[in-house]
């Protein structure tokens, strides 16, 4: 999966809002058929979402496009997928998963509709909304090659808050254990670890602190529910030019030392060896895969007075 920094929700029955999401610079957009769509509008929203996917792809090939379908127990999931598995779709935001077999049930439906509708390679973003999903996070993350990302739960008022019964704080200590279990499951499975949303729409300072704390823990992106949050989230999860330069220098310093027969070397006041170089190499691979990684590298070239190569990272 592309390591999206920002994943922004748009109600599926409100296609006019998609332009605002694109203008905000979201790396990925989730067109919602679940909670944000009233029950009497859900069937009609399916066709609206299918048309929206085609409309977005006509002008933007970059942005990730996922659809949050209705949960399996609603018996609406198959009809949702039948309508929205169309060319241009990136994947499915699969709600209310509790056990690994739920992923396989989604797989069975998606295999059918991919073949029927001429689509391939769809992925899942799996939100952790249920107690079972926390307990079974490792098995869920490993259940299918389609699982590309999972979300560590942090919501102030949504399903997970009700299920666990915690009292939310801006610092997020009450969800640290929950999020950490998801993070470790993602790292073991080699999938993209996302942190949850910030519900306070006007508190951008709180959002910034929360997003930066998520990055510190090891998350690589975040769910957003309003276009005004996207820039802050993108900044928090974008590798800076200075960070890229530091890690490139570390790898080069170790390579030079190893070529001279040394297993360790001093680099900018830090002792480094092969483990440090391996970590830096992995960090750079991630940085260059993110949309922001390209921007960071371009900024680095600009600051050095050298033109960035066309078609570069």
């Amino acid at each position: 999966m592309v390591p999206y920094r920002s994943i922004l929700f748009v109600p599926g029955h409100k296609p006019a809002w998609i332009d605002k999401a694109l203008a905000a610079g979201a790396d990925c957009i989730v067109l919602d058929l679940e909670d944000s769509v009233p029950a009497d509008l859900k069937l009609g929203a399916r066709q609206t979402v299918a048309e929206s996917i085609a409309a977005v792809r006509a002008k933007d090939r970059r942005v990730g496009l996922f659809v949050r379908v209705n949960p399996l127990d609603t018996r609406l999931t198959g009809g949702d997928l039948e309508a929205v598995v169309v060319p241009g779709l990136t994947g499915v935001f699969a709600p209310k998963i509790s056990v690994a077999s739920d992923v396989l049930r989604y797989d069975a439906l998606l295999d059918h509709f991919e073949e029927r509708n001429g689509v391939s390679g769809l992925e899942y973003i799996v939100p952790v909304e249920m107690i079972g999903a926390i307990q079974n996070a490792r098995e869920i993350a490993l259940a299918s090659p389609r699982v590309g990302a999972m979300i560590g739960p942090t919501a102030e008022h949504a399903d997970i808050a009700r299920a666990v019964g915690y009292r939310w704080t801006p610092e997020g200590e009450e969800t640290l254990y929950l999020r950490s279990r998801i993070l470790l499951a993602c790292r073991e499975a080699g999938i993209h670890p996302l942190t949850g949303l910030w519900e306070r729409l006007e508190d951008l300072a709180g959002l910034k602190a929360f997003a930066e704390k998520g990055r510190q823990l090891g998350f690589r992106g975040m769910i957003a529910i309003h276009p005004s949050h996207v820039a802050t989230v993108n900044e928090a999860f974008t590798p800076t030019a200075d960070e890229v330069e530091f890690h490139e220098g570390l790898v080069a310093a170790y390579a030079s030392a190893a070529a001279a027969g040394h297993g360790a070397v001093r680099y900018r006041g830090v002792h480094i060896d092969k483990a440090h170089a391996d970590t830096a190499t992995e960090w750079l691979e991630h940085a260059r895969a993110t949309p922001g990684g390209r921007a960071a590298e371009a900024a680095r070239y600009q600051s050095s007075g050298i033109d960035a190569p066309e078609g570069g990272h």
Side-chain angles (χ1 to χ4, degrees):
M1 176 173 286
V2 173
Y4 303 115
R5 301 165 298 169
S6 53
I7 299 175
L8 179 62
F9 271 75
V10 176
H13 64 304
K14 296 185 177 182
W17 290 17
I18 296 174
D19 286 340
K20 295 180 181 180
L22 293 172
D27 292 343
C28 178
I29 294 171
V30 177
L31 302 173
D32 189 24
L33 290 174
E34 195 201 11
D35 288 346
S36 68
V37 181
D40 61 331
L41 299 180
K42 286 183 181 291
L43 297 186
R46 291 171 174 169
Q47 184 58 34
T48 301
V49 166
E51 293 169 356
S52 295
I53 293 167
V56 170
R57 283 293 176 242
K59 54 188 174 184
D60 192 326
R61 303 295 301 176
R62 170 199 62 86
V63 69
L65 279 179
F66 283 70
V67 174
R68 179 165 72 169
V69 295
N70 288 284
L72 293 164
D73 63 4
T74 67
R75 305 186 70 178
L76 295 172
T77 315
D80 289 344
L81 292 173
E82 181 179 25
V84 306
V85 173
V86 295
L89 183 66
T90 308
V92 174
F93 193 102
K96 305 300 190 293
I97 284 176
S98 288
V99 294
S101 60
D102 290 338
V103 178
L104 303 183
R105 294 168 67 194
Y106 273 104
D107 269 0
L109 290 167
L110 210 54
D111 287 347
H112 172 74
F113 289 117
E114 275 192 338
E115 179 69 21
R116 175 175 168 175
N117 297 353
V119 179
S120 62
L122 298 184
E123 300 175 289
Y124 302 133
I125 296 173
V126 177
V128 174
E129 306 166 278
M130 315 291 285
I131 296 293
I134 296 169
Q135 303 285 33
N136 301 310
R138 180 177 183 272
E139 291 77 11
I140 290 169
L142 294 165
S144 167
R146 293 187 187 274
V147 179
M150 289 181 70
I151 304 168
T154 62
E156 183 173 359
H157 297 111
D159 294 315
I160 192 67
R162 181 180 67 252
V164 176
Y166 58 71
R167 178 180 292 176
W168 183 89
T169 66
E171 296 74 26
E173 294 299 324
E174 68 284 346
T175 60
L176 179 58
Y177 171 72
L178 312 181
R179 287 181 284 152
S180 296
R181 289 192 62 161
I182 306 310
L183 175 62
L184 293 177
C186 288
R187 295 298 290 175
E188 180 178 358
I191 64 178
H192 188 39
L194 296 164
T195 189
L197 52 86
W198 182 261
E199 295 183 26
R200 301 190 173 191
L201 299 182
E202 297 180 1
D203 184 5
L204 296 183
L207 168 65
K208 177 179 174 64
F210 185 80
E212 290 178 348
K213 181 66 174 179
R215 180 64 191 94
Q216 180 184 356
L217 290 171
F219 291 99
R220 298 293 179 82
M222 185 171 172
I223 303 300
I225 58 173
H226 195 274
S228 66
H229 287 188
V230 170
T232 299
V233 170
N234 281 349
E235 181 181 7
F237 292 97
T238 298
T240 68
D242 286 346
E243 288 172 330
V244 172
E245 192 270 336
F246 176 87
H247 286 85
E248 287 182 336
L250 190 156
V251 172
Y254 175 76
S256 178
H262 305 298
V265 67
R266 185 185 184 93
Y267 172 70
R268 298 190 183 183
V270 178
H271 167 92
I272 64 168
D273 55 23
K274 185 177 184 299
H276 298 80
D278 289 346
T279 300
T281 298
E282 181 180 301
W283 187 95
L284 286 165
E285 289 173 353
H286 166 76
R288 292 166 179 160
T290 66
R294 301 183 188 97
E297 184 156 311
R300 181 169 59 83
Y301 277 99
Q302 185 176 12
S303 67
S304 66
I306 302 173
D307 291 335
E310 293 187 11
H313 299 296

